[in-house]
Amino acid sequence: MAEVTAALVKELREITGAGMMECKKALTEAEGEIEAAIDVLRTRGLAAVAKKAGRETNEGTVMAVTSPSNKDGVIVELKCETDFVGINEKFHAYAKKIADAALYAEGDVTVENIKECELDGEKVEDILTDCIHVMGENSEIAKVTKVHADGVASYIHGGGKIGVLVTFDIDGIDPVEDGFLTCARDVAMQVAATNPVAAKREDVPAEIVEHEMSIYKAQAAESGKPENIQVKIAEGRMHKFYAENCLVEQAFVKDGDLTVEEYVNKCAKELGGSLKINSFVRIALGE
């Protein structure tokens, strides 16, 4: 009987694509023989996972979760091959498990290290392998972002086509109370609907500002008006760009008489504290 070493387990995993624990069990049962272990996994239907790996993943779902305290949040894009699987409740459950594992992991979570995160002793790597086996399609984690703030809200649109996390700076308001949850969800829905460039104008990337301003200056120059007027025209158009593309300055979709910032301030006043939008993460499936 050959010794079941970590290297042997890794080799079997690379050949079959099955989970580490399943490979170890199969090797133990096969007394350390790779070929026999492959047959064990094939018998259990796990070796087929390897054949599915590498196939294109153009569908899937976006999952966003928050902690019970609403101070931490994770958003994950889990890809698969077909829309049929992408809308399946079991597939969504796998996405939820992966997001929860990332939510309770210590430190930063990235696409590169998320597979090492654990949920109830099960690594994300093995959760993903099980997903591939059960759903019968190649699956991969395309994106993941983890946030921490005074308050975090999540929103999923279209059954997983768009996911949003919004972070807030809070003073004197409990992030688990209904008033905050209602307000925060409204803001998250706004992000899903309007796809803003940034939360605030100071967060707009410099290259975008420069690009837009160059266009507005060129447009103003074509007017033939004096240079000082051209500057005002360009600045006016840039101001309009900010109003349309910065979350806090956008017209609130549920009440066009208010900007999003004014709506949040109104909510904060009703709740007896201070509430400000800090940032957001928006993931649309396939983008």
Side-chain angles (χ1 to χ4, degrees):
M1 176 179 177
E3 181 184 357
V4 179
T5 63
L8 206 58
V9 173
K10 182 180 179 183
E11 182 182 352
L12 181 60
R13 174 172 172 73
E14 289 174 351
I15 293 171
T16 64
M20 297 292 282
M21 290 305 298
E22 291 296 336
C23 287
K24 186 175 181 180
K25 290 176 185 176
L27 280 164
T28 301
E29 187 174 329
E31 299 183 339
E33 297 295 329
I34 284 281
E35 293 300 324
I38 291 173
D39 288 340
V40 170
L41 291 173
R42 287 186 63 192
T43 300
R44 295 174 182 167
L46 296 176
V49 170
K51 295 181 181 179
K52 296 172 184 119
R55 297 206 304 233
E56 288 190 8
T57 53
N58 298 315
E59 299 292 341
T61 191
V62 180
M63 180 63 61
V65 298
T66 56
S67 62
S69 66
N70 287 330
K71 292 189 175 184
D72 295 279
V74 165
I75 187 166
V76 171
E77 181 182 18
L78 182 63
K79 304 293 289 295
C80 61
E81 297 175 44
T82 66
D83 183 57
F84 178 77
V85 167
I87 62 174
N88 188 284
E89 289 185 6
K90 287 184 179 179
F91 184 75
H92 286 199
Y94 281 112
K96 174 83 164 50
K97 286 179 71 174
I98 291 169
D100 284 341
L103 181 66
Y104 295 106
E106 294 184 2
D108 293 335
V109 178
T110 65
V111 171
E112 288 73 27
N113 68 19
I114 189 175
K115 289 184 179 180
E116 295 302 311
C117 298
E118 294 185 5
L119 181 68
D120 299 328
E122 185 179 17
K123 284 190 175 183
V124 166
E125 183 176 27
D126 295 320
I127 294 172
L128 188 60
T129 297
D130 191 56
C131 173
I132 295 170
H133 168 61
V134 172
M135 303 311 302
E137 290 190 3
N138 186 28
S139 300
E140 63 177 347
I141 301 165
K143 295 175 185 174
V144 58
T145 300
K146 185 176 181 179
V147 301
H148 174 78
D150 295 338
V152 181
S154 65
Y155 175 69
I156 295 294
H157 176 73
K161 297 299 183 185
I162 298 173
V164 174
L165 289 176
V166 182
T167 67
F168 295 84
D169 294 327
I170 300 175
D171 185 24
I173 298 172
D174 190 337
V176 301
E177 65 177 289
D178 290 342
F180 168 76
L181 294 175
T182 298
C183 178
R185 180 178 169 80
D186 282 343
V187 174
M189 288 175 66
Q190 173 96 16
V191 174
T194 65
N195 191 18
V197 171
K200 296 160 282 189
R201 63 171 61 189
E202 56 265 34
D203 297 330
V204 178
E207 61 270 21
I208 293 179
V209 175
E210 292 171 6
H211 175 72
E212 292 299 319
M213 198 60 178
S214 67
I215 292 174
Y216 301 147
K217 285 180 178 178
Q219 291 174 343
E222 291 181 358
S223 69
K225 294 181 179 180
E227 190 172 336
N228 64 322
I229 301 298
Q230 291 180 27
V231 171
K232 290 182 179 179
I233 291 173
E235 289 177 345
R237 289 176 179 171
M238 196 68 215
H239 179 75
K240 183 180 179 183
F241 171 84
Y242 286 133
E244 292 175 348
N245 292 280
C246 295
L247 176 59
V248 297
E249 298 184 40
Q250 286 182 330
F252 182 42
V253 292
K254 286 191 172 183
D255 184 348
D257 292 332
L258 298 174
T259 64
V260 173
E261 185 173 46
E262 287 170 343
Y263 169 67
V264 170
N265 288 341
K266 178 183 175 184
C267 292
K269 185 176 181 181
E270 292 172 355
L271 293 169
S274 172
L275 185 61
K276 294 188 180 299
I277 297 168
N278 184 305
S279 65
F280 68 84
V281 182
R282 182 185 188 274
I283 294 179
L285 184 65
E287 287 187 358

